[in-house]
C-alpha cells in the first residue's frame, strides 16, 4: 500500500504566525539561564506529586519538582535507564516475608521550604494516594498513582529512617512502582489550608527544581534548587518554563520564533527544514510502543484472534516509517526488536494482505461485508507521536481487509481518564480499542497491568477485560521471581505470548525526537520516557 504524506504532518508550510500563538507564549520572552519547553500536553501537569498528562507529566513535573524513593539513572544515552537510589539509599525484601519491603531513607534531605524530610512525610504521601478515608486523600493523585502500585496494602514508618511497605501478593516489581510516587511535604499541605487545590500553586517537594508559579492552562515556572541534596544534579539553568502546546505546528512556530527553546515531538515533515535552519534534532531508541489496546472481553469484535491477527498483517509498517521521515522503528510488540524481552521473537508480524484477507474471510468479513467498530484516539499527548495522521493511515490500511474504523477523538488527558474507566463504561462511547502509547520500562508497566485478570478498572489498566488463566499463572511466576536473569526469561516468554496472540495492534516504536535551539547545551537524551533536565544549559 502506498501512503501519501498526510496533510496533518505538513508543518513547514503551515506554521502559525507568531501573532496567532497562545497568549502565554508572548509572555515567555527569552531570559538568561531560562529553559522554555513546549510540551505536547494540552495543560500543565498537576503539581501534586503524582502528575497527570501521562509519562510526559512525570517527565516535566514528577521528577523535577519532586523526588521518589527510587530514581532512574537518566545520565546515559547509550544504555537503557536503570533504577538507582533516590530518597531511599537502599531497599530490600524481608527474607522471612517476601510481601514486606523496607526502604532506608537518605539523611540530610530538605524540602524546598528548608524543613527536613521525615518518614512521616513518606507515609503521608502514600496515604494521599491509597488511603481513601484519610483527611489528606487526593482523588486526582490516586487516579494516577494507585495503578502504579496496585498490590500495596500497608505502609508504615518503622523508625525515623525506615519505611516498610507490604503487598497483597509477592511483587518483585514494587521498586519500579514506587518510582512514580513523589514525596510531598505534609506541613506544606497544612499551610495551604489542608486543601489540594490550594496546594497546587504552593507545591513543595525535595526535587532539583522549585515551583515559582503555576497556571494549568498557560504555564508553570520552576526555579533552580541550589541546595538540592545531590550536588551533581543541581540545575545548570536558573529557570524552567513549561508551556502546554498540544498542536504540533504551534510548537514548531514557537521554536522558530524564539518563544521556546525546546519542543517535544516535532512533526516529521518539519525536521529537515528545522535542521537546515540550525536547530538541533535529538533522537534515541527507548522503551516505547505505539499500539491499539484491544478489548477482548465478551461482546468485542477483537475477541476473535483471527481478526486481531488479520489487523496486524494489514499494517504496512515500512510505509508508516516513510511517512514519519524515518523517526520510528517498526512495531515488533510492546518492546523494540533487540530488547532483552524481545531479543529472539518466536513470531514477527509482517505486511501480508492476502493472509490478512484470508483470516477475515474465515471470520466472516470482507471489504463488501466489513466489520465496523470504533477506536478511541487523542489529538496529541505524551508519546503519541503524530496521532491524527498515524491513525488515519491505519484506518486506510484496515479498510482494505474489511475492517472499517470510526474514531472517537479525545483530548489526551480525557483519553487517559476513560482508559481508567474500562471499555464498557459510558465515558468510552462504545469504543472497542484505544490508542494510548505507553512506557515499557518494567514488567508491570509494560505488560502485567494490561493482562492480569484482577487488574480491570479501577484496580488497574486492564482496560479491555482480558482474562486468561495461563497468563495469570505466568504473571504470578514473574512477580515471585527476584533473580533478575530468571525474571528476564519469564518476561520474554510473556511478551512472546502477547505477540503470538496479537493482543494489541502493533504499529511503531517512537525514536523520541526533540527539537531545540542551538543555545541549548548539555542535554543527554536517556533511553527512557523520562529525562534529566538538570545538566541543561542555555547559552547566549
Amino acid at each position: 500500500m502506498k501512503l501519501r504524506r498526510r496533510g496533518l504532518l505538513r508543518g513547514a508550510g503551515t506554521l502559525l504566525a507568531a501573532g496567532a500563538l497562545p497568549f502565554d507564549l508572548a509572555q515567555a520572552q527569552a531570559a538568561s539561564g531560562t529553559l522554555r519547553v513546549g510540551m505536547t500536553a494540552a495543560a500543565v501537569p498537576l503539581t501534586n506529586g503524582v502528575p497527570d498528562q501521562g509519562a510526559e507529566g512525570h517527565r516535566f513535573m514528577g521528577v523535577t519538582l519532586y523526588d521518589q524513593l527510587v530514581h532512574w539513572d537518566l545520565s546515559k544515552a547509550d544504555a537503557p535507564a536503570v533504577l538507582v537510589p533516590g530518597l531511599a539509599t537502599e531497599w530490600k525484601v524481608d527474607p522471612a516475608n517476601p510481601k514486606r519491603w523496607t526502604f532506608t531513607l537518605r539523611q540530610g534531605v530538605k524540602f524546598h521550604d528548608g524543613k527536613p524530610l521525615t518518614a512521616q512525610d513518606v507515609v503521608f504521601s502514600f496515604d494521599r494516594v491509597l488511603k481513601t478515608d484519610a483527611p489528606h486523600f487526593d482523588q486526582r493523585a490516586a487516579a494516577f498513582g494507585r495503578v502504579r502500585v496496585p498490590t500495596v496494602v500497608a505502609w508504615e514508618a518503622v523508625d525515623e529512617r525506615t519505611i516498610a511497605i507490604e503487598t497483597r501478593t509477592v511483587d518483585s516489581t514494587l521498586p519500579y512502582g514506587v518510582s512514580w510516587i513523589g514525596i510531598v511535604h505534609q506541613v506544606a499541605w497544612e499551610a495551604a489550608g489542608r486543601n489540594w487545590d490550594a496546594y497546587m500553586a504552593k507545591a513543595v517537594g525535595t526535587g532539583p527544581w522549585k515551583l515559582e508559579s503555576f497556571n494549568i492552562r498557560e504555564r508553570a515556572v520552576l526555579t533552580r534548587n541550589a541546595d538540592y541534596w545531590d550536588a551533581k544534579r543541581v540545575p545548570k539553568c536558573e529557570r524552567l518554563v513549561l508551556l502546554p502546546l498540544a498542536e504540533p505546528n504551534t510548537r514548531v512556530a514557537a521554536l522558530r520564533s524564539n518563544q521556546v527553546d525546546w519542543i517535544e515531538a516535532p512533526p516529521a515533515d518539519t525536521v529537515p527544514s528545522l535542521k537546515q535552519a540550525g536547530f538541533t534534532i535529538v533522537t534515541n531508541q527507548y522503551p516505547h510502543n505505539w499500539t491499539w489496546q484491544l478489548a477482548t472481553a465478551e461482546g468485542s469484535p477483537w475477541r476473535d484472534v483471527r481478526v486481531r491477527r488479520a489487523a496486524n498483517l494489514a499494517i504496512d509498517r515500512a510505509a508508516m516509517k516513510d511517512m514519519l521521515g524515518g523517526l520510528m522503528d517498526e512495531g515488533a510488540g510492546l518492546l523494540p526488536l533487540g530488547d532483552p524481552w524481545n531479543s529472539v521473537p518466536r513470531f514477527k508480524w509482517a505486511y501480508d494482505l492476502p493472509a490478512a484477507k484470508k483470516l477475515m474471510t474465515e471470520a466472516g468479513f470482507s471489504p463488501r461485508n466489513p466489520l465496523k467498530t470504533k477506536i478511541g484516539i487523542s489529538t496529541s499527548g505524551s508519546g503519541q507521536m503524530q496521532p491524527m495522521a498515524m491513525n488515519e493511515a491505519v484506518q486506510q490500511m484496515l479498510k482494505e481487509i474489511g475492517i472499517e474504523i470510526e474514531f472517537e477523538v479525545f483530548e489526551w488527558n480525557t483519553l487517559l481518564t476513560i482508559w481508567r474507566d474500562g471499555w464498557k463504561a459510558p465515558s468510552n462511547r462504545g469504543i472497542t480499542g484505544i490508542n494510548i502509547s505507553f512506557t515499557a520500562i518494567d514488567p508491570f508497566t509494560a505488560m502485567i497491568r494490561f493482562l492480569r485478570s484482577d487488574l480491570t478498572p479501577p484496580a488497574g489498566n486492564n482496560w479491555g477485560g482480558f482474562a486468561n488463566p495461563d497468563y495469570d499463572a505466568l504473571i504470578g511466576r514473574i512477580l515471585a521471581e527476584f533473580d533478575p536473569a530468571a525474571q528476564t526469561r519469564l518476561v520474554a516468554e510473556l511478551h512472546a505470548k502477547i505477540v503470538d496472540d496479537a493482543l494489541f495492534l502493533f504499529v511503531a516504536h517512537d525514536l523520541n525526537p526533540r527539537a531545540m535551539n542551538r543555545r541549548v547545551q548539555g542535554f543527554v537524551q536517556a533511553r527512557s520516557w523520562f529525562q534529566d533536565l538538570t545538566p541543561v544549559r542555555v547559552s547566549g
Side-chain angles (χ1 to χ4, degrees), residues 252-301:
V252 174
L255 182 66
R256 286 184 178 276
S257 59
N258 192 34
Q259 297 185 57
V260 298
D261 308 294
W262 163 318
I263 62 172
E264 300 282 286
D269 282 9
T270 68
V271 168
S273 63
L274 286 171
K275 287 181 177 178
Q276 188 174 15
F279 293 99
T280 303
I281 307 295
V282 184
T283 64
N284 203 353
Q285 187 185 75
Y286 71 121
H288 172 278
N289 66 75
W290 196 96
T291 64
W292 287 1
Q293 184 179 351
L294 306 172
T296 56
E298 191 69 41
S300 171

Side-chain angles (χ1 to χ4, degrees), residues 450-485:
F450 307 109
L451 303 170
R452 189 159 152 171
S453 59
D454 63 352
L455 291 181
T456 54
N461 291 123
N462 186 348
W463 171 84
F466 181 77
N468 183 297
D470 292 338
Y471 277 80
D472 282 345
L474 179 53
I475 289 168
R477 292 171 60 197
I478 291 169
L479 294 176
E481 183 55 72
F482 290 86
D483 177 73

Side-chain angles (χ1 to χ4, degrees), residues 3 5 268-269 317-328:
L3 274 182
R5 291 185 177 266
D269 282 9
R317 297 166 182 83
M320 184 73 78
K321 183 173 183 176
D322 179 64
M323 187 183 81
L324 293 175
L327 294 176
M328 61 163 270

Side-chain angles (χ1 to χ4, degrees), residues 134-367:
H136 46 281
F137 178 70
D138 180 358
Q139 180 59 52
R140 285 170 297 193
F144 295 98
R146 63 188 169 196
V147 295
R148 303 296 182 182
V149 287
T151 62
V152 172
V153 293
W155 51 98
E156 63 174 335
V158 177
D159 56 41
E160 292 182 356
R161 292 192 58 216
T162 308
I163 300 295
I165 298 178
E166 295 193 17
T167 56
R168 172 171 43 85
T169 59
V170 177
D171 185 357
S172 60
T173 69
L174 179 67
Y176 296 106
V178 300
S179 72
W180 293 88
I181 309 299
I183 304 305
V184 299
H185 191 12
Q186 180 173 354
V187 171
W189 174 75
E190 292 170 349
R194 302 169 67 88
N195 180 289
W196 285 112
D197 287 334
Y199 172 87
M200 294 281 209
K202 306 173 183 178
V204 173
T206 63
W209 302 88
K210 301 179 181 181
L211 185 67
E212 179 179 290
S213 64
F214 171 73
N215 185 314
I216 195 166
R217 292 298 170 192
E218 291 186 6
R219 59 174 166 168
V221 179
L222 284 67
T223 60
R224 119 192 240 270
N225 179 7
D227 299 319
Y228 186 56
W229 56 265
D230 185 351
K232 300 188 299 298
R233 295 188 59 239
V234 172
K236 302 299 187 295
C237 280
E238 290 296 327
R239 303 172 91 219
L240 171 64
V241 180
L242 302 176
L243 298 157
L245 301 175
E247 206 285 316
N249 290 329
T250 301
R251 292 196 296 275
V252 174
L255 182 66
R256 286 184 178 276
S257 59
N258 192 34
Q259 297 185 57
V260 298
D261 308 294
W262 163 318
I263 62 172
E264 300 282 286
D269 282 9
T270 68
V271 168
S273 63
L274 286 171
K275 287 181 177 178
Q276 188 174 15
F279 293 99
T280 303
I281 307 295
V282 184
T283 64
N284 203 353
Q285 187 185 75
Y286 71 121
H288 172 278
N289 66 75
W290 196 96
T291 64
W292 287 1
Q293 184 179 351
L294 306 172
T296 56
E298 191 69 41
S300 171
W302 304 107
R303 189 173 178 84
D304 190 330
V305 68
R306 296 170 298 185
V307 173
R308 299 197 305 269
R309 287 175 173 165
N312 272 286
L313 289 167
I315 302 302
D316 188 345
R317 297 166 182 83
M320 184 73 78
K321 183 173 183 176
D322 179 64
M323 187 183 81
L324 293 175
L327 294 176
M328 61 163 270
D329 287 335
E330 295 183 24
L334 299 181
L335 283 305
L337 196 62
D339 185 274
W341 298 335
N342 191 20
S343 57
V344 186
R346 293 198 298 259
F347 185 82
K348 182 180 178 183
W349 293 105
Y351 178 50
D352 190 337
L353 273 182
K357 290 179 177 179
K358 182 174 184 294
L359 283 169
M360 289 299 292
T361 299
E362 292 174 3
F365 301 102
S366 70

